[in-house]
Amino acid sequence: QQQVKQSPQSLIVQKGGISIINCAYENTAFDYFPWYQQFPGKGPALLIAIRPDVSEKKEGRFTISFNKSAKQFSLHIMDSQPGDSATYFCAASSWDGGSQGNLIFGKGTKLSVKP
Amino acid sequence: DSGVTQTPKHLITATGQRVTLRCSPRSGDLSVYWYQQSLDQGLQFLIQYYNGEERAKGNILERFSAQQFPDLHSELNLSSLELGDSALYFCASSAGSDPGNQPQHFGDGTRLSIL
């Protein structure tokens, strides 16, 4: 119930292509869905976040698409660049259950963008 | 640079030992979060402190404890260490108490290796 399932585990995209990472959840009480980006040797950094009252949010080349009925959300990276090569984590939080709003992370997707 | 400082960067110790990980949050942030990142479990929330008080607990073992001091720095104590405790431990901070309503800023982690 508290899990967030992320796919794929790894992704290789050509420079200029679109990278798509998907996440699915079961807990309908989740109300905050951030994406974090992590480079090797560094901690995760917030990339973009969405709430379930909107279906899409765009910030530069990064877009979150949210499908409340399907309980899925995805990250799209347009015009992917080699500098985007990193591990991406989706996450979700809610106030029910024992986590009191704290983040539950997917297992991560390692993205490699080939020049 | 996230502004969150974690020390030490690396720690090597033996089974049965006790270690202390230290975190200085971003200036002005009152919440501190501890996470464990391992290959099989991913990024898991351990515990949150807000302005010196424990606010929420996640998947934290009884052998682990934490505290936040009046100057807002935090320490994570791990005792009776087992091989399975080998992981990256991240600290994050945020301005307020609600983890689902604001970005968390992560440090670069402490890599703990148990021999």
Side-chain angles (χ1 to χ4, degrees), chain A residues 8-68:
Chain A
Q9 270 190 306
S10 62
L11 181 60
I12 299 174
V13 173
Q14 291 295 318
K15 178 183 175 182
I18 302 174
S19 303
I20 302 174
I21 304 170
N22 300 298
C23 284
Y25 63 95
E26 289 296 323
N27 186 353
T28 55
F30 283 148
D31 60 1
Y32 176 65
F33 302 89
W35 285 88
Y36 279 77
Q37 179 189 55
Q38 184 179 23
F39 292 103
K42 297 292 185 182
L46 180 65
L47 197 59
I48 187 173
I50 198 169
R51 294 198 181 275
D53 53 345
V54 297
S55 60
E56 186 174 282
K57 183 174 181 180
K58 185 176 180 178
E59 289 184 3
R61 295 184 294 107
F62 300 92
T63 300
I64 299 179
S65 296
F66 185 81
N67 186 329
K68 191 173 181 178

Side-chain angles (χ1 to χ4, degrees), chain A residues 64-75:
Chain A
I64 299 179
S65 296
F66 185 81
N67 186 329
K68 191 173 181 178
S69 61
K71 292 184 282 187
Q72 295 175 348
F73 58 111
S74 59
L75 177 69

Side-chain angles (χ1 to χ4, degrees), chain A residues 32 38 43-44 51 95 100-101 107, chain B residues 37 40 55 99-101 106-107:
Chain A
Y32 176 65
Q38 184 179 23
R51 294 198 181 275
W95 277 94
Q100 296 184 48
K107 292 273 179 90
Chain B
Q37 186 176 42
D40 55 342
R55 187 188 168 276
N101 202 29
F106 282 74

Side-chain angles (χ1 to χ4, degrees), chain B residues 25-31 72 94-96:
Chain B
R26 233 173 40 133
S27 178
D29 284 357
L30 297 179
S31 273
L72 300 177
S94 67

Side-chain angles (χ1 to χ4, degrees), chain B residues 11-23:
Chain B
L11 203 46
I12 302 174
T13 188
T15 55
Q17 295 298 305
R18 172 188 169 94
V19 296
T20 297
L21 281 53
R22 183 187 169 101
C23 169

